[in-house]
Amino acid sequence: ATQVISFAARSGHWKSAVKDPGMPRLLQTIFSNGFYNPVGAWVVLSLFGLPAVLGLRSTPEFVAHPMAPVLDVLLVFLAIGRALGAAAELVLVRRTAQWLVALDKSD
């Protein structure tokens, strides 16, 4: 989706397309400075960390482990970050679909 947005904006790079004033603030925050910000890092960490923590938490050794409550808190933190990432992805996919439909209607 980001490649299509870059092509549509004719900016040459998807990061400059995300800086569009019409882009939702959440998306601008996540993508700002190439994910080198607290929210962007949280989303990227959640993308890779959530499956790892889910897998670790589901092993029999960790069900009754003393660190299980810590993993539960980490799991919630990562799940919220992943939800933010999913929301950002949906906004980009929706925007791309709208652009493609508008492009099809103009032909």
Side-chain angles (χ1 to χ4, degrees):
T2 54
Q3 292 87 357
V4 175
I5 291 172
S6 297
F7 176 76
R10 303 207 191 287
S11 61
H13 202 280
W14 67 268
K15 289 179 185 176
S16 55
V18 172
K19 293 177 184 175
D20 175 19
M23 199 60 80
R25 181 84 174 122
L26 172 66
L27 213 60
Q28 290 177 2
T29 303
I30 290 171
F31 287 135
S32 68
N33 200 23
F35 297 101
Y36 291 104
N37 63 74
V39 179
W42 179 22
V43 168
V44 172
L45 174 68
S46 298
L47 181 65
F48 297 102
L50 182 62
V53 172
L54 278 171
L56 185 63
R57 186 65 180 96
S58 66
T59 60
E61 295 83 17
F62 273 95
V63 171
H65 194 275
M67 291 295 290
V70 174
L71 283 178
D72 290 339
V73 170
L74 184 60
L75 192 66
V76 170
F77 176 76
L78 293 173
I80 293 170
R82 185 60 191 110
L84 285 174
E89 291 169 20
L90 289 173
V91 167
L92 286 175
V93 168
R94 180 174 177 248
R95 192 172 170 132
T96 303
Q98 289 172 337
W99 176 77
L100 290 171
V101 168
L103 185 66
D104 187 45
K105 287 181 181 178
S106 66
D107 287 338

